[in-house]
Amino acid sequence: MTTDVPASRELAGIAELAARATGDRLRTAFRSRPGVDHKRDFHDPVTEHDRAAEETIREVLAKETPGSAVVGEEGGAQGEDGDLRWYVDPIDGTANFAVGLPFFCVSIGAVADGQVVAGVVYDPVRDEMFSASLDGATCNGDPIQSRGATCDRSAVLVTGYPNARELRRRGDEALRRFGLMVDAFATLRRPGSAALTLAHVASGWSDAAYGTSVNAWDVAAALLLVRQAGGTYLPLGGEPGCADWEAPGYLACVGGFDLAGSVLTQVAEIAS
Ligand code: IPD
Ligand code: CA
Ligand code: CA
């Protein structure tokens, strides 16, 4: 099966429908200080709303694309592994959502023919729907363009690096690299939510992003947004030959940014 442009637009529309279906719940629960459980460790929170939002998304996807598979952060892989697979993060940025910081999103990506063919990142607080298909990328229906700073000195970098596990593993080296980025970039921010950060790079609202320790549901939708908006998304690490959305790290930047001359090539250890 080959997904053509009209089919990918239709999938993006279905992803939008599924993401929007969570909006009322997430907005109502936001700033209610929901109870928090932990998954891997105390840095990894989850709420009842993560699980419920994923259920809502699964219901919409099952109704609109029967026979598709869904890989969700909370419910794992379900459904037949046929032509179409969805990657779902019901809340990316749960730590922010749980305390009331307005920087989290819903992320839904569609993979077919060995590539991401559609994806949405939905910010329910601002009601911003970032949507990508093989036809382009939009925010609330308006085309977006990934343009901005051209070099580190004038750029805003968003990163979650290093996280606690990376500090435990190679603390001194991780802090040295963090220092390199703080020093080289005009501004460094750590707002959380890889998917929303990448949607902002796609929109030209941030200039560059560096992520490590991500999962397919964090980046599948967002990598298509960045690329379709004219930005760069480079997967980092992973098994040889793994798909871009399966790689555990990424570098992203707006179109026209001098990545070869950026300190990020040292930090991420990529050849410039
Ligand atoms: C996390 C966020 C965070 C990133 C982590 C993700 P979650 O997702 O995107 O910014 O640094 O790697 O796991 O747990 O909020 O869905
Ligand atoms: Ca996530
Ligand atoms: Ca999540």
Side-chain angles (χ1 to χ4, degrees), residues 14 16 22 24 27 36 47 136 153 202 232 253:
I14 291 167
E16 288 180 29
T22 68
D24 285 344
R27 276 185 294 271
V36 168
T47 71
R153 285 181 68 82
T232 298
C253 59

Side-chain angles (χ1 to χ4, degrees), residues 73-74 89-94 105 107 193-195 214-215 217-219:
E73 176 168 17
E74 310 309 335
D89 192 341
I91 304 180
D92 186 50
T94 297
C105 66
S107 168
S193 182
V214 289
N215 290 288
W217 48 75
D218 296 314
V219 295

Side-chain angles (χ1 to χ4, degrees), residues 65-271:
T65 57
S68 61
V70 178
V71 182
E73 176 168 17
E74 310 309 335
Q78 293 173 24
E80 302 156 34
D81 211 358
D83 291 337
L84 176 62
R85 189 174 336 132
W86 296 98
Y87 286 97
V88 174
D89 192 341
I91 304 180
D92 186 50
T94 297
N96 290 343
F97 168 78
V99 293
L101 274 173
F103 199 90
F104 62 93
C105 66
V106 178
S107 168
I108 305 176
V111 168
D113 328 317
Q115 59 170 338
V116 184
V117 293
V120 305
V121 168
Y122 179 51
D123 175 344
V125 174
R126 295 171 191 80
D127 196 23
E128 283 168 348
M129 180 69 75
F130 303 91
S131 181
S133 70
L134 299 179
D135 197 27
T138 57
C139 177
N140 288 349
D142 296 325
I144 51 174
Q145 267 213 319
S146 185
R147 302 294 298 182
T150 54
C151 66
D152 293 1
R153 285 181 68 82
S154 54
V156 173
L157 169 70
V158 181
T159 186
Y161 178 83
N163 63 28
R165 284 185 304 284
E166 287 151 349
L167 281 178
R168 274 197 296 274
R169 231 181 297 135
R170 292 176 77 191
D172 289 349
E173 180 55 20
L175 290 176
R176 189 186 71 82
R177 291 179 193 209
F178 184 70
L180 285 177
M181 295 190 290
V182 170
D183 197 43
F185 278 85
T187 303
L188 180 148
R189 292 286 183 259
R190 290 169 62 91
S193 182
L196 191 55
T197 290
L198 289 166
H200 289 178
V201 172
S203 306
W205 302 344
S206 298
D207 301 304
Y210 174 49
T212 55
S213 309
V214 289
N215 290 288
W217 48 75
D218 296 314
V219 295
L223 72 84
L224 188 66
L225 274 166
V226 171
R227 288 176 176 167
Q228 290 296 73
T232 298
Y233 180 96
L234 296 180
L236 300 174
E239 299 295 316
C242 79
D244 289 357
W245 58 92
E246 286 165 348
Y250 61 82
L251 262 186
C253 59
V254 293
F257 183 79
D258 178 17
L259 197 52
S262 170
V263 75
L264 289 172
T265 59
Q266 288 172 51
V267 171
E269 293 181 69
I270 55 168

